[in-house]
């Protein structure tokens, strides 16, 4: 049976954010289903028209999730028993708006969205438009790290490192976002057309891969 050495390589890479992602949630509620849907349609139409008015292309806003559910309250009757009381239909529309990093455009979009929607639920994240480069750099780093460890261990143990036999890597999706938070209270959002420039923190990614070499 061939002798082997198994080493886990740790890969690290960094990149400067060049892309902004808005995540938005629009909610509508009414006891009449058609009216609840009409309210939801009005919200998305207002949003699209407002964003087109400040230079975004039609279709820039993408739906990430859409759901309709019935809402009930638990109410105690005169006998002390709880009953389900229908409150209405809740329409939830999750949306995404992404564009190249530009603080002026980001601030203008925040102000416009707040001005056209009531009680918007919105978050801002910074990422990279193309994650290929940072993923490749991280994988190369993991391979180099594992090989260096294996060479040191073999040298210290008085053995010779042979051919690479296997590589095990979990191709899961990495969280390629900056840790920088960009928060703004709802009351201040309409005023965000004027804002200071910020430089989001670099995106740091890390992952591991397992390498097996023959030893002689």
């Amino acid at each position: 049976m061939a002798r082997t050495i198994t080493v886990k390589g740790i890969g690290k890479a960094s990149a400067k954010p060049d892309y902004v992602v808005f995540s938005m949630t629009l909610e509508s509620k009414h006891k009449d289903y058609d009216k609840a849907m009409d309210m939801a349609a009005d919200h998305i139409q207002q949003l699209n028209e407002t964003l087109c008015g400040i230079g975004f292309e039609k279709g820039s806003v993408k739906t990430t999730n859409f759901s309709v559910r019935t809402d009930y309250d638990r109410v105690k009757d005169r006998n002390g028993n709880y009953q389900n009381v229908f409150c209405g239909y809740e329409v939830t529309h999750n949306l995404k708006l992404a564009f190249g990093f530009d603080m002026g455009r980001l601030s203008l979009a925040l102000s416009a969205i707040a001005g056209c929607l009531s009680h918007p639920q919105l978050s801002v994240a910074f990422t990279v438009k193309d994650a290929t480069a940072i993923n490749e750099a991280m994988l190369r780093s993991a391979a180099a790290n594992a090989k260096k460890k294996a060479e040191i261990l073999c040298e210290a143990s008085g053995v010779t490192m042979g051919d690479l036999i296997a590589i095990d890597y979990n191709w899961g999706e990495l969280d390629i976002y900056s840790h920088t938070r960009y928060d703004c209270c709802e009351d201040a959002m309409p005023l965000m057309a004027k804002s200071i420039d910020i430089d989001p923190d670099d995106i740091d990614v890390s992952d591991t891969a397992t390498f097996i070499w023959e030893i002689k």
Side-chain angles (χ1 to χ4, degrees):
M1 182 176 179
R3 295 189 301 165
T4 61
I5 181 172
T6 301
V7 179
K8 181 176 289 186
I10 302 173
K12 297 179 180 180
S14 297
K16 190 174 183 63
D18 62 7
Y19 214 50
V20 180
V21 178
F22 278 18
S23 297
M24 296 170 280
T25 300
L26 307 182
E27 294 181 339
S28 305
K29 183 176 178 179
H30 201 282
K31 284 192 173 183
D32 182 88
Y33 175 82
D34 289 338
K35 290 183 178 179
M37 293 298 289
D38 287 343
M39 290 169 63
D42 287 342
H43 281 164
I44 188 62
Q45 182 178 350
Q46 289 177 31
L47 178 63
N48 283 325
E49 289 177 352
T50 299
L51 291 173
C52 285
I54 59 172
F56 285 92
E57 294 182 1
K58 185 178 180 180
S60 294
V61 178
K62 306 297 183 183
T63 296
T64 57
N65 188 61
F66 184 85
S67 65
V68 182
R69 60 180 291 271
T70 51
D71 183 40
Y72 291 86
D73 269 346
R74 294 279 288 170
V75 178
K76 185 185 291 186
D77 62 21
R78 65 179 64 184
N79 298 318
N81 299 316
Y82 283 93
Q83 304 290 333
N84 286 330
V85 177
F86 178 68
C87 296
Y89 294 95
E90 285 188 354
V91 182
T92 303
H93 199 171
N94 300 111
L95 303 153
K96 180 179 76 172
L97 173 67
F99 52 92
F101 178 73
D102 181 321
M103 279 305 303
R105 201 176 194 198
L106 186 156
S107 300
L108 188 61
L110 277 174
S111 177
I113 291 169
C116 78
L117 300 171
S118 59
H119 308 294
Q121 299 178 39
L122 186 148
S123 64
V124 181
F126 303 98
T127 184
V128 290
K129 185 175 183 179
D130 185 358
T132 302
I134 191 171
N135 274 323
E136 289 181 352
M138 185 271 299
L139 291 173
R140 289 192 178 95
S141 173
N145 178 259
K147 186 176 181 181
K148 184 65 175 178
K149 289 177 180 176
E151 289 172 345
I152 293 172
L153 289 170
C154 287
E155 181 184 355
S157 303
V159 297
T160 302
M161 191 167 75
D163 294 333
L164 179 64
I165 297 174
I167 303 173
D168 182 22
Y169 179 66
N170 178 17
W171 294 92
E173 188 171 344
L174 296 175
D175 182 24
I176 306 179
Y177 286 91
S178 169
H179 291 299
T180 297
R181 296 183 59 185
Y182 191 88
D183 296 328
C184 180
C185 68
E186 183 180 329
D187 291 340
M189 282 178 61
L191 308 176
M192 289 297 292
K194 292 185 178 180
S195 181
I196 63 171
D197 286 336
I198 67 168
D199 188 13
D201 195 13
D202 286 353
I203 298 166
D204 297 315
V205 295
S206 178
D207 208 353
T208 61
T210 302
F211 298 76
I212 302 175
W213 280 275
E214 179 187 10
I215 55 175
K216 302 175 182 178

